[in-house]
Structure formats: C-alpha cells, structure tokens
Amino acid sequence: MDKQRQKPIVLTGLQPTSGIHLGNYLGALQNWVSIQDEADCLFFISNMHAITVPQDPIELRKNTIDCVAVYLACGLDPKRSHIFVQSQVIGHAELAWILSCLTPLGQLERMTQFKDKSGRQAGEFVGAGLLYYPVLMAADILLYNAHLVPVGEDQRQHLELTRDVAEKFNGIHGPLFNIPEPLIRGNCARVMSLQNPTAKMSKSDPNSLATVFLSDSDAQIMKKFRSAVTDSGTEVRASDEKPGIKNLLHILSGVSGRSVAELEMDCAGMGYGKFKTVVAEAVIECVRPIRVRMEALKEELLYLQSVMEEGHADAQARANATLAKVYDHVGFACGKNL
Ligand code: AMP
Ligand code: TRP
C-alpha cells in the first residue's frame, strides 16, 4: 500500500448508458456508498467504455451528466470521494495501449462478456473496442494503483485479466502496480431479471417488465414486481429450485438490510401474491428518495459540473504521476511533462 495513504485506494465506475437499474444499485452503488469512510475512493463514469457499442453523442453527454446525479443521489459524497468522467483524464487510453501490448489476444477472445455481446451482434458490425474493452478497464484500475475494485459478479473475469496484466507488467518492468482485488459483496452481486430469473437484470433487456430502473415511479415498480416470474409452488424459500423467489428474497434483503434467513421466517406462509407486494413496497421505499434526489440534482447543472471538475483535477494529478512512472519503466523518452 502507498505509504502516504493509510487507507486503501478504491476505484470503480459504471457506464452512462440509458437507465441505472436496481441490479446496479444493489450489486454496485450501495456497496460504494458504504465504503467511503474506510477508503480513498475514486468513482468514475466510464463513457469511453460506453462507445464500444454505438451511442448517440447527444444522449451520451446527457447520460454522463445524469450519471453524476445518480451517483450523488445514491449517496456518493464529493466531500469524501472523487467523482470524475473517464474521458476527461488523459492517461486511460495511453495506459490501455501499453497494457494491450502485454495482453494475450486469446484471453480477450475468451471473455464471457465479449462472447455474449459480439454474439448478440452476429452478422452486424462488431468494433475492435468490444474486444479491447477489458484492457481499457485494466488501465482504469492500474492508473490509480487501486487496491480494491467493488463490482458486481459479472465483472469478476475482467478483474482477473487486470491482475494478470499487472503481474505481467511488474514481472517484465519491475514492481510498479498493486495487484487489485475485486470486492464482490452480498446476495445482490448478481440481481436477476424479474421475467427470467436465470438471466441477470440488465438495462438492455427487451422485456420492459424485467428491469426495475431507479427512475421508475412507485406504480411502475409495483407493476413489475407484481408480474415477476416465480414458480408453481407456494413456499417462500431461497432455494435453487425456486430462482424467482430466491431473487426476490435477495432483493428484499438488499433493500432492507435484513438477512435472507430472517426474511424466510417472516414471509413463511404468506403466499406468492402477498410476498411480491411486500418486496415491491420495500423496493419503493428504497428507490423513492433516490429518485426524488436524482430529479432535483439533474436541475443543478452547475453543481454537477463543479463536482466533475474537482474530481477530474484530483484524478488527473494521480494519473500523471502513474503514467510518468510507466513511461519511464517502458523506456519511453523522458516523461517529464507527463
Ligand atoms: P454496467 O451496468 O454494466 O455498467 O454495470 C455497473 C455495475 O453494476 C458493475 O459493477 C456491474 O457488475 C454491476 N451490475 C450490473 N448488472 C448487475 C446485476 N444484475 N446485479 C448485480 N450487479 C450488477
Ligand atoms: N466494465 C464496467 C461495467 O460495465 C465498468 C468499468 C469500466 C469499471 N472500468 C472499470 C468498473 C474499472 C470497475 C473498475 O460495469
């Protein structure tokens, strides 16, 4: 750990594409909020990752600023943490290039997310950026020498690649990078779709009932939970044969902070109809204050910009320091100005 910094460095981010959903909140954002006192935290908005699939520039800019509002509404605190936009910091793309030269092509081709996303675009245009995506992610993390990376389960493989490439760099050029650990916590590391509990909840699900967005109204949330797919039984229990009920119990545990065992006891004999309403009500109570804060913050453009600027200044200084060392290790001519 960096001697001057007593606290571990935590870095993470998400992509500013369309709506942020309950899976993002319970699997990621909620954990980020709770780690702010224990760590030196950097939270960024990965707009450079977002363009690995086609984006409308006007939408992307709007979603990026809205994402800052979501971060703050969820409880990220710019007085304790640094919040910034990836593309504003020079260094992510530069380090990604250097790391790409150390990353085996085969490992990138084996990434589950790449296979999924490129498979879904079969016959259409697939940009090389989709393949290269985990290298950029490794650069994001190593540029700040992060110790811990809180993410949902779906990012575990990308973290493994980051660790491999950091070890490879250190092995060739001498120790420079910390080997970062993923921080994947709780029952909600993989929140499932409400319509297909064997697939993860995702913002791009074509079934509009599958995903609960933080921007959804109380009535929309109720409707989505009331139509959640379960099974033909009656018992409220978190077993693998009941993936729908298990998912709902995990969500209820995530929003209430209570254990699944406790909830199973409370909800025993309730019947699925009543249980779904109980879950919906708990989610509504959790999401409503976030939605209200989010709407108010979206109007505070100058404030959001000032948060991004402060975060950018701090992040750029750290990125410059790492990049200068990397250039030196690699043998690039004098990195004095970087
Ligand atoms: P993304 O929406 O892909 O930008 O993901 C942002 C963060 O949310 C990452 O840490 C993901 O691992 C996490 N995440 C995305 N979907 C889910 C889900 N269904 N359940 C839990 N975490 C998720
Ligand atoms: N790939 C992550 C996602 O889709 C977002 C991300 C980009 C990220 N760079 C990162 C997360 C670095 C953690 C650390 O959710």
Side-chain angles (χ1 to χ4, degrees):
M1 202 177 295
D2 193 321
K3 286 200 189 85
Q4 269 142 31
R5 296 181 195 277
Q6 295 305 310
K7 293 178 172 178
I9 299 171
V10 163
L11 173 126
T12 191
L14 55 77
Q15 296 184 52
T17 41
S18 65
I20 310 284
H21 56 77
L22 194 61
N24 296 137
Y25 179 68
L26 295 177
L29 278 155
Q30 201 180 37
N31 293 329
W32 307 357
V33 171
S34 62
I35 208 170
Q36 292 181 102
D37 283 330
E38 302 153 37
D40 175 20
C41 291
L42 296 133
F43 301 114
F44 74 106
I45 294 154
S46 56
N47 57 347
M48 291 167 73
H49 281 86
I51 64 162
T52 52
V53 293
Q55 298 286 338
D56 173 65
I58 295 171
E59 280 290 299
L60 181 60
R61 198 168 290 125
K62 177 180 177 302
N63 288 338
T64 303
I65 296 167
D66 285 355
C67 201
V68 181
V70 174
Y71 279 11
L72 301 182
C74 287
L76 297 187
D77 174 6
K79 293 203 178 69
R80 286 179 290 165
S81 303
H82 306 283
I83 297 169
F84 65 97
V85 178
Q86 184 182 26
S87 63
Q88 284 198 290
V89 179
I90 297 170
H92 290 254
E94 286 73 5
L95 183 56
W97 175 251
I98 293 168
L99 299 179
S100 77
C101 298
L102 301 178
T103 308
L105 189 54
Q107 193 174 5
L108 292 176
E109 284 164 344
R110 283 195 300 277
M111 292 286 123
T112 310
Q113 197 175 80
F114 170 69
K115 287 195 285 187
D116 280 358
K117 287 197 178 172
S118 59
R120 262 184 267 146
Q121 287 165 240
E124 293 167 37
F125 170 79
V126 177
L130 205 56
L131 179 71
Y132 190 80
Y133 176 118
V135 183
L136 180 59
M137 183 160 160
D140 301 335
I141 297 166
L142 300 180
L143 193 57
Y144 303 97
N145 246 323
H147 300 97
L148 286 173
V149 184
V151 281
E153 184 61 47
D154 60 350
Q155 299 298 319
R156 188 186 289 280
Q157 206 181 23
H158 295 158
L159 255 296
E160 274 159 22
L161 183 137
T162 302
R163 292 167 58 85
D164 289 350
V165 74
E167 271 164 8
K168 184 141 181 205
F169 183 100
N170 289 350
I172 297 172
H173 299 293
L176 175 63
F177 294 125
N178 296 319
I179 308 301
E181 297 279 347
L183 191 68
I184 300 174
R185 272 213 286 235
N187 292 323
C188 289
R190 194 172 166 81
V191 174
M192 308 310 270
S193 150
L194 297 185
Q195 288 295 308
N196 174 8
T198 57
K200 75 167 184 175
M201 185 177 282
S202 140
K203 58 187 137 206
S204 52
D205 201 309
N207 186 336
S208 63
L209 292 172
T211 307
V212 173
F213 293 100
L214 297 184
S215 55
D216 281 349
S217 67
D218 294 358
Q220 281 170 316
I221 298 174
M222 181 57 79
K223 181 172 173 211
K224 289 179 182 179
F225 279 99
R226 294 283 310 161
S227 41
V229 169
T230 50
D231 55 72
S232 57
T234 54
E235 202 188 346
V236 178
R237 192 163 46 84
S239 89
D240 288 341
E241 297 89 67
K242 296 170 165 286
I245 293 294
K246 183 172 158 189
N247 188 37
L248 293 181
L249 274 164
H250 284 171
I251 291 175
L252 183 55
S253 165
V255 294
S256 67
R258 301 178 62 207
S259 77
V260 169
E262 230 181 313
L263 294 170
E264 279 177 331
M265 275 195 297
D266 277 9
C267 303
M270 201 178 255
Y272 287 177
K274 174 87 198 322
F275 175 59
K276 285 183 193 178
T277 307
V278 167
V279 179
E281 280 165 353
V283 172
I284 288 170
E285 289 310 312
C286 167
V287 169
R288 189 189 297 126
I290 297 176
R291 185 179 64 231
V292 169
R293 281 197 295 274
M294 210 159 71
E295 293 311 322
L297 278 160
K298 280 183 190 171
E299 305 300 315
E300 304 280 335
L301 195 57
L302 287 179
Y303 172 61
L304 297 178
Q305 279 167 344
S306 73
V307 168
M308 286 188 274
E309 270 163 33
E310 267 174 46
H312 168 221
D314 176 85
Q316 188 63 73
R318 298 184 197 220
N320 287 346
T322 308
L323 207 55
K325 286 188 210 153
V326 171
Y327 277 21
D328 192 39
H329 276 58
V330 170
F332 285 176
C334 138
K336 215 165 58 191
N337 296 326
L338 268 170

